[in-house]
C-alpha cells in the first residue's frame, strides 16, 4: 500500500466529514465510520511520523502539553465594543452615525457569550490562535484551538489572513461537562462562558479536546470585501463557521425589530447569547465614523435585560450559616438562565417568602440578579394548582434540632447551639476561603471531610493538621502529594495580614472592608482586643451594630482563648500597612461592574485601596465612581440613573498612574 497516498485520502475524507458536520450541520458520515477511519489514520501516523501534517484531523485529538502560555502581540488591536442597554441608546448611536455617514446601513449579529479569539493563517495553514487579552497582548492557545472541530486547520486556498471570532461551549456540552464533574466531585462551572474560558486556558490540549468547544467567526477584512455581510459570506466560503442568524438592516427601527425577534428566540438557541452586535455594514464608512482609543464608533453591542424563565418550585430546604442564620433555599426543576443550568436559589428569609406569596409546587419566574446570582422573582399565582403547599417556617434547626430564635427587629431565624455541626463546618469553610485567610488548597469539600473525620473541629485545628500527617494521607481522595501541598499552604498562610485573620474569625457584621479599617486603626491584635465601643464607633464607616458585635466578641472567654491559641501557633498578629498614596481615588467609594481585561477584581481592589480609595459591591447614592469593565451588569444602569461618574478601564488605568 502507498501509505502517503492513503494518508492523503483519509485526510480529505475526514476533513470533509468534519466540515459537513461541524460547520454546515449536515452529516455525511456515520460516527462509527468516522471513528474507524480516524483510527486507521492514527495507526499509520504513529508508525510513520513523517507523514503527519499540520492539517491532519488527528491534531484535533489533543495531547500537546505546554509548561506555560506564551504572550502574543496582536498585529491589529482587538477592540471591545461600547454597550447599549436601551432602545433610546441605540437611537442615539444611530444619530451619531448618520451625522457622519447619512447612507450607512447596519448588519446585526448575535453576541455569542464566550471567549474572543484571533486566528492567523499563513499560506492557508493555521499557525496561531490567540486570546484577546488586553486587546494588544493576548495568549497563544493554538494547541487548544486545533482541537475545535469547526476551526479549519487548512483553508480552501493558500491565503495568509487573520480572522476573529468567539469560542463558546454549547449548552448541551456544558450540561454534560458539569454532570461529569459532579460525578467526580469536582467544582462545577458557573456558566457556558466560564466553562469555555476554563477549557481554552488548559495547558494540556487533550482536556480541551474533550470539552466539545465550538466557534463562530465574525471578522475578516479581505481585499474584495466591501461590507460586513460580504465578509461573513467570504469567510463561510473559505471554510469558517459563521452564525447564520445575522441580518442586514436599513434603519435603526429594523435593528430594534431584529433585537426583539432574537430576544424571543434566545432561550431556545443551543448556545448562550447576551446581546446583539450592531455594525455599520459599509466598511469604507468605518474610517469616516472613526473610533476612540478603546471602542469603534461604527459598532455597538446591545445587551439584553436579565433573562427571566419559568420553572417549577419543587421544595424549600434550609441552610445553616456560620453565624447560625437559617436561610430558606428554593429547589426547582433545573432550567437554563443566561448560560447557566440553575436548580437552586436563596429565598432569604420568612418575610421575603410570605411577601411574595411563594408556595411549594408553584410555577415561578427565575432570573439572575445582577446577571450573576439566581433569584426567584415571583410565583405565577394564576397557574397555581391544587397541589400547592403554603410556606411555613421551620421552628427547629435542620442540623441539630435546636429551637430557632428570631430576634426583635430582625428578619432571620438563628440556631444558637454553639456545637451545631453545620455552623462549625461553615465557620471552617469561611476561614479558609479566598476572601478570608485564603488557604486555597482547603476547599469546601475537604473542610467537611476533615471535620467529619475528626481532625478539624475549630479554626486552630487547621494549623495542627501537620500533627496528623500519617493519618491524613490515607484518607479517601488524598495521599502524600495532596497533604504535602495542603500543609505547605497552611504554613505559608500564617504570614497573612491581620485583617485577613480578623475577617476569617467570622465576627458578626465584620466584613473584609471593616476588618481592614479596624486593623488600620488598632494596628495589632492586642489593640483590637482592648478597643472600646467608643474607640470603634469613632472610625468612619463603622456603625453601632458593628461596634457592639465586635466588642462583645472580644469579651467572650472562648474567643479570647482561640485568638491566644492562634498566636501560639505562629499566626501573624500585626497589620502591615501598604503604602497609601494620595491620588484621584483618595477617600472615593468605587464600584466595579463587568470584567477588566488587564486585571482581576482582587488586583483592582488592591490598587484602589493603595491609592486611598475603597471598592464596594453595590451602587448607592454614596458611590463616587463606577468602573466599567466588559459585560457590565445592572450596576451600570443604576449608576446612570443616579448620575454617578462612570469611567472605563482605560481611564481607570490612566488615573491610577497619575
Amino acid at each position: 500500500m502507498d501509505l502517503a497516498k492513503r494518508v492523503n485520502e483519509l485526510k480529505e475524507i475526514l476533513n470533509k466529514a468534519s466540515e459537513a458536520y461541524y460547520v454546515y450541520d449536515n452529516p455525511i458520515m456515520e460516527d462509527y465510520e468516522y471513528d474507524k477511519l480516524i483510527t486507521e489514520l492514527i495507526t499509520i501516523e504513529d508508525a510513520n511520523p513523517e507523514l503527519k501534517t499540520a492539517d491532519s484531523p488527528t491534531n484535533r485529538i489533543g495531547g500537546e502539553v505546554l509548561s506555560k502560555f506564551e504572550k502574543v502581540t496582536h498585529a491589529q488591536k482587538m477592540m471591545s465594543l461600547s454597550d447599549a442597554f436601551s432602545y433610546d441608546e441605540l437611537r442615539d448611536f444611530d444619530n451619531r452615525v448618520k451625522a457622519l455617514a447619512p447612507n450607512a446601513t447596519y448588519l446585526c449579529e448575535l453576541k455569542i457569550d464566550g471567549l474572543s479569539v484571533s486566528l492567523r493563517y499563513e499560506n492557508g495553514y493555521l499557525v496561531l490562535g490567540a486570546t484577546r487579552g488586553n486587546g494588544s497582548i493576548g495568549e497563544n492557545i493554538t494547541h487548544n484551538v486545533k482541537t475545535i472541530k469547526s476551526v479549519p486547520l487548512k483553508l480552501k486556498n493558500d491565503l495568509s489572513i487573520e480572522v476573529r471570532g468567539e469560542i463558546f461551549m454549547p449548552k448541551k456540552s456544558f450540561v454534560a461537562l458539569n454532570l461529569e464533574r459532579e460525578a467526580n466531585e469536582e467544582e462545577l462551572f458557573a456558566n457556558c462562558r466560564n466553562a469555555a474560558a476554563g477549557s481554552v486556558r488548559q495547558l494540556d490540549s487533550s482536556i480541551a479536546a474533550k470539552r466539545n468547544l465550538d466557534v463562530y467567526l465574525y471578522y475578516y477584512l479581505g481585499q474584495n470585501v466591501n461590507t460586513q455581510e460580504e465578509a461573513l459570506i467570504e469567510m463561510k466560503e473559505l471554510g469558517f463557521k459563521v452564525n447564520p442568524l445575522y441580518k442586514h438592516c436599513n434603519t435603526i427601527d429594523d435593528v430594534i425589530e431584529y433585537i426583539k425577534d432574537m430576544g424571543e428566540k434566545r432561550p431556545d438557541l443551543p448556545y448562550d447569547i447576551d446581546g446583539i452586535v450592531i455594525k455599520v455594514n459599509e466598511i469604507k464608512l468605518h474610517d469616516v465614523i472613526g473610533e476612540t482609543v478603546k471602542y469603534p464608533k461604527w459598532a455597538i453591542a446591545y445587551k439584553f435585560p436579565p433573562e427571566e424563565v419559568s420553572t417549577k418550585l419543587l421544595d424549600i430546604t434550609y441552610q445553616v450559616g456560620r453565624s447560625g442564620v437559617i436561610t430558606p433555599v428554593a429547589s426547582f426543576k433545573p432550567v437554563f438562565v443566561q448560560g447557566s443550568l440553575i436548580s437552586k436559589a436563596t429565598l432569604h428569609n420568612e418575610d421575603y417568602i410570605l411577601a411574595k406569596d411563594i408556595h411549594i409546587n408553584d410555577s415561578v419566574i427565575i432570573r439572575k440578579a445582577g446577571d450573576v446570582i439566581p433569584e426567584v422573582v415571583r410565583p405565577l399565582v394564576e397557574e397555581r394548582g391544587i397541589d400547592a403547599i403554603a410556606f411555613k417556617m421551620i421552628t427547629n434547626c435542620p442540623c441539630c434540632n435546636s429551637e430557632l430564635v428570631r430576634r426583635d427587629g430582625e428578619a432571620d431565624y438563628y440556631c444558637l447551639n454553639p456545637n451545631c455541626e453545620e455552623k462549625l463546618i461553615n465557620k471552617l469553610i469561611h476561614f479558609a476561603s479566598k476572601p478570608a485567610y485564603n488557604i486555597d488548597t482547603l476547599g469546601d469539600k475537604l473542610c467537611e471531610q476533615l471535620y467529619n473525620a475528626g481532625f478539624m473541629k475549630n479554626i486552630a485545628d487547621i494549623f495542627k493538621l501537620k500533627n496528623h500527617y500519617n493519618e491524613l494521607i490515607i484518607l479517601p481522595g488524598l495521599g502524600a502529594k495532596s497533604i504535602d501541598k495542603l500543609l505547605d499552604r497552611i504554613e505559608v498562610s500564617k504570614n497573612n495580614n491581620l485583617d485577613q485573620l480578623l475577617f476569617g474569625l467570622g465576627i458578626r457584621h465584620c466584613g473584609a472592608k471593616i476588618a481592614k479599617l479596624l486593623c488600620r486603626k488598632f494596628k495589632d491584635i492586642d489593640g483590637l482586643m482592648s478597643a472600646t465601643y467608643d474607640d470603634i464607633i469613632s472610625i468612619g464607616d463603622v456603625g453601632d451594630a458593628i461596634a457592639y458585635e465586635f466588642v462583645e466578641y472580644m469579651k467572650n472567654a472562648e474567643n479570647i482563648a482561640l485568638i491566644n491559641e492562634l498566636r501560639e501557633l505562629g499566626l501573624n498578629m500585626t497589620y502591615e500597612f501598604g503604602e497609601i498614596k494620595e491620588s484621584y481615588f483618595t477617600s472615593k467609594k468605587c464600584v466595579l461592574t463587568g470584567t477588566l481585561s488587564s486585571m482581576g477584581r482582587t488586583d483592582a481592589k488592591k490598587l484602589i485601596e493603595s491609592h486611598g480609595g475603597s471598592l464596594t459591591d453595590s451602587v448607592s447614592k454614596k458611590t463616587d465612581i463606577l468602573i466599567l469593565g466588559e459585560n457590565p451588569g445592572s450596576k451600570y444602569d443604576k449608576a446612570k440613573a443616579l448620575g454617578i461618574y462612570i469611567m472605563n478601564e482605560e481611564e481607570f488605568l490612566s488615573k491610577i498612574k497619575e
Side-chain angles (χ1 to χ4, degrees):
M1 179 192 293
D2 186 336
L3 292 179
K5 183 179 179 181
R6 180 56 179 163
V7 164
N8 287 332
E9 288 175 352
L10 289 169
K11 286 195 307 184
E12 184 177 354
I13 294 169
L14 291 167
N15 283 330
K16 189 174 290 185
S18 288
E19 182 183 36
Y21 185 91
Y22 294 104
V23 178
Y24 296 106
D25 196 22
N26 183 30
I28 59 174
M29 181 183 293
E30 293 293 333
D31 290 347
Y32 170 79
E33 184 65 20
Y34 184 93
D35 292 342
K36 183 178 172 185
L37 293 177
I38 199 146
T39 299
E40 181 185 351
L41 181 57
I42 291 170
T43 303
I44 295 173
E45 288 180 344
D46 285 349
N48 305 273
E50 72 280 2
L51 296 180
K52 184 169 182 174
T53 56
D55 62 331
S56 173
T58 59
N59 289 313
R60 301 192 186 280
I61 297 170
E64 183 179 353
V65 181
L66 304 183
S67 58
K68 64 178 182 178
F69 288 102
E70 296 177 355
K71 298 296 183 183
V72 174
T73 301
H74 298 300
Q76 183 179 346
K77 190 173 182 180
M78 292 182 72
M79 303 183 80
S80 55
L81 297 177
S82 58
D83 293 325
F85 296 90
S86 69
Y87 297 150
D88 286 341
E89 289 178 276
L90 288 182
R91 295 188 191 281
D92 290 341
F93 164 74
D94 179 56
N95 290 335
R96 293 192 299 270
V97 167
K98 294 297 175 65
L100 296 168
N103 297 321
T105 63
Y106 300 111
L107 195 80
C108 298
E109 303 170 61
L110 301 185
K111 188 175 183 296
I112 308 296
D113 199 8
L115 182 80
S116 295
V117 66
S118 172
L119 305 179
R120 193 180 302 167
Y121 289 80
E122 292 181 3
N123 299 318
Y125 287 91
L126 176 67
V127 295
L128 177 68
T131 63
R132 179 183 178 277
N134 64 8
S136 299
I137 299 174
E139 291 180 322
N140 187 335
I141 55 168
T142 311
H143 68 305
N144 286 330
V145 167
K146 287 178 179 178
T147 70
I148 302 173
K149 297 180 177 67
S150 49
V151 173
L153 300 176
K154 185 179 186 303
L155 301 179
K156 293 180 179 178
N157 57 36
D158 297 336
L159 284 177
S160 294
I161 60 169
E162 182 177 345
V163 295
R164 289 170 180 176
E166 197 83 359
I167 294 173
F168 64 95
M169 181 171 286
K171 292 177 181 178
K172 183 178 178 181
S173 300
F174 173 75
V175 172
L177 175 60
N178 264 353
L179 286 173
E180 180 185 340
R181 293 177 72 83
E182 186 175 32
N184 294 329
E185 295 188 347
E186 296 175 306
E187 184 178 354
L188 303 185
F189 284 111
N191 52 50
C192 294
R193 175 167 29 93
N194 287 354
S199 302
V200 163
R201 297 201 76 261
Q202 293 289 333
L203 292 170
D204 183 351
S205 63
S206 63
I207 297 175
K210 296 175 184 176
R211 299 281 175 85
N212 295 314
L213 297 171
D214 209 338
V215 68
Y216 279 125
L217 283 303
Y218 55 72
Y219 173 85
Y220 160 62
L221 195 58
Q223 291 183 343
N224 300 316
V225 170
N226 297 310
T227 68
Q228 173 64 12
E229 187 171 19
E230 288 178 7
L232 296 178
I233 293 170
E234 187 161 328
M235 279 193 290
K236 187 173 181 180
E237 290 174 350
L238 287 170
F240 293 109
K241 187 171 183 177
V242 173
N243 192 293
L245 297 179
Y246 62 84
K247 185 174 183 181
H248 181 212
C249 297
N250 289 313
T251 69
I252 200 66
D253 288 328
D254 294 339
V255 169
I256 291 170
E257 285 304 311
Y258 172 81
I259 290 171
K260 291 177 180 177
D261 181 41
M262 288 298 108
E264 292 177 2
K265 294 175 179 175
R266 179 185 179 195
D268 299 322
L269 294 172
Y271 42 80
D272 195 40
I273 64 172
D274 60 354
I276 302 293
V277 175
I278 302 105
K279 302 173 185 173
V280 169
N281 191 38
E282 296 78 17
I283 292 173
K284 66 181 180 182
L285 296 179
H286 292 182
D287 288 339
V288 174
I289 299 167
E291 58 189 38
T292 66
V293 175
K294 189 172 183 180
Y295 305 117
K297 294 181 181 179
W298 44 264
I300 197 167
Y302 174 83
K303 300 298 289 293
F304 285 123
E307 180 185 3
E308 295 186 349
V309 299
S310 65
T311 187
K312 185 174 182 178
L313 178 61
L314 302 174
D315 197 8
I316 296 177
T317 57
Y318 299 88
Q319 291 179 344
V320 186
R322 57 188 168 85
S323 65
V325 66
I326 306 298
T327 303
V329 177
S331 297
F332 40 81
K333 188 177 179 181
V335 62
F336 258 105
V337 185
Q338 291 180 232
S340 302
L341 190 65
I342 305 298
S343 61
K344 293 181 183 295
T346 178
L347 290 172
H348 303 291
N349 52 57
E350 178 184 35
D351 293 350
Y352 179 90
I353 299 170
L354 294 177
K356 288 186 177 287
D357 190 28
I358 296 171
H359 287 45
I360 294 172
N361 292 326
D362 272 348
S363 290
V364 292
I365 297 296
I366 309 296
R367 73 178 178 199
K368 285 188 182 178
D371 293 340
V372 178
I373 308 298
E375 69 172 349
V376 177
V377 180
R378 64 185 182 278
L380 296 175
V381 179
E382 64 276 15
E383 297 182 13
R384 181 169 289 160
I386 59 173
D387 62 341
I389 304 171
F391 170 77
K392 187 175 181 180
M393 186 65 189
I394 57 174
T395 57
N396 295 82
C397 175
C399 175
C400 67
N401 204 39
S402 298
E403 186 175 350
L404 301 180
V405 174
R406 179 172 176 174
R407 300 182 176 114
D408 290 342
E410 294 192 19
D412 294 319
Y413 283 80
Y414 288 85
C415 170
L416 301 182
N417 177 11
N419 298 313
C420 175
E421 292 200 338
E422 197 165 340
K423 282 173 63 174
L424 296 175
I425 291 170
N426 282 322
K427 282 182 179 181
L428 293 169
I429 289 171
H430 168 72
F431 183 84
S433 68
K434 185 174 182 179
Y437 221 59
N438 192 23
I439 306 175
D440 54 12
T441 50
L442 187 56
D444 297 7
K445 285 187 170 63
L446 184 55
C447 278
E448 187 171 358
Q449 182 182 9
L450 294 176
Y451 177 90
N452 290 331
F455 296 111
M456 219 167 66
K457 294 298 183 181
N458 62 36
I459 291 170
D461 287 342
I462 295 173
F463 302 93
K464 302 175 188 175
L465 286 174
K466 60 185 178 183
N467 300 330
H468 304 283
Y469 184 88
N470 291 331
E471 299 160 276
L472 292 173
I473 60 173
I474 61 175
L475 287 176
L478 295 176
K481 188 175 181 180
S482 297
I483 295 302
D484 287 343
K485 187 176 179 181
L486 171 66
L487 297 180
D488 286 346
R489 184 66 191 88
I490 290 172
E491 199 63 30
V492 169
S493 76
K494 291 181 179 180
N495 298 314
N496 285 348
N497 221 343
L498 180 61
D499 62 305
Q500 293 177 263
L501 172 61
L502 197 61
F503 178 43
L505 291 174
I507 303 169
R508 195 165 182 236
H509 299 318
C510 184
K513 177 186 173 184
I514 296 299
K516 195 177 291 289
L517 289 173
L518 291 169
C519 288
R520 284 179 180 171
K521 172 73 173 177
F522 300 107
K523 301 179 177 58
D524 59 29
I525 195 66
D526 293 321
L528 288 164
M529 294 176 76
S530 61
T532 66
Y533 173 89
D534 290 336
D535 292 334
I536 295 170
I537 205 71
S538 67
I539 304 172
D541 289 338
V542 178
D544 293 346
I546 298 170
Y548 173 79
E549 293 289 348
F550 188 83
V551 171
E552 288 299 304
Y553 182 93
M554 290 299 179
K555 289 194 306 190
N556 182 280
E558 288 185 8
N559 297 333
I560 293 171
L562 172 63
I563 290 171
N564 287 332
E565 186 174 11
L566 293 174
R567 191 202 306 257
E568 291 172 7
L569 287 166
L571 277 68
N572 174 45
M573 294 288 166
T574 60
Y575 183 67
E576 303 297 328
F577 286 84
E579 182 186 357
I580 305 296
K581 304 173 185 176
E582 284 292 324
S583 74
Y584 174 83
F585 293 97
T586 300
S587 300
K588 288 188 171 70
K589 298 181 188 298
C590 305
V591 172
L592 170 63
T593 182
T595 304
L596 298 180
S597 61
S598 58
M599 68 187 76
R601 181 183 177 83
T602 301
D603 291 332
K605 183 176 182 179
K606 288 178 181 177
L607 267 179
I608 291 167
E609 290 178 347
S610 70
H611 285 70
S614 61
L615 186 68
T616 58
D617 291 327
S618 58
V619 173
S620 71
K621 291 180 180 178
K622 295 182 179 180
T623 303
D624 295 302
I625 302 167
L626 181 81
I627 301 166
L628 189 66
E630 293 185 29
N631 301 314
S634 57
K635 295 175 188 176
Y636 176 68
D637 292 332
K638 188 171 182 180
K640 285 175 63 178
L642 292 173
I644 290 164
Y645 184 72
I646 297 172
M647 65 168 59
N648 61 26
E649 183 175 358
E650 180 188 355
E651 184 180 359
F652 168 62
L653 295 174
S654 174
K655 292 290 187 185
I656 284 289
K657 293 175 182 176
E658 286 182 356

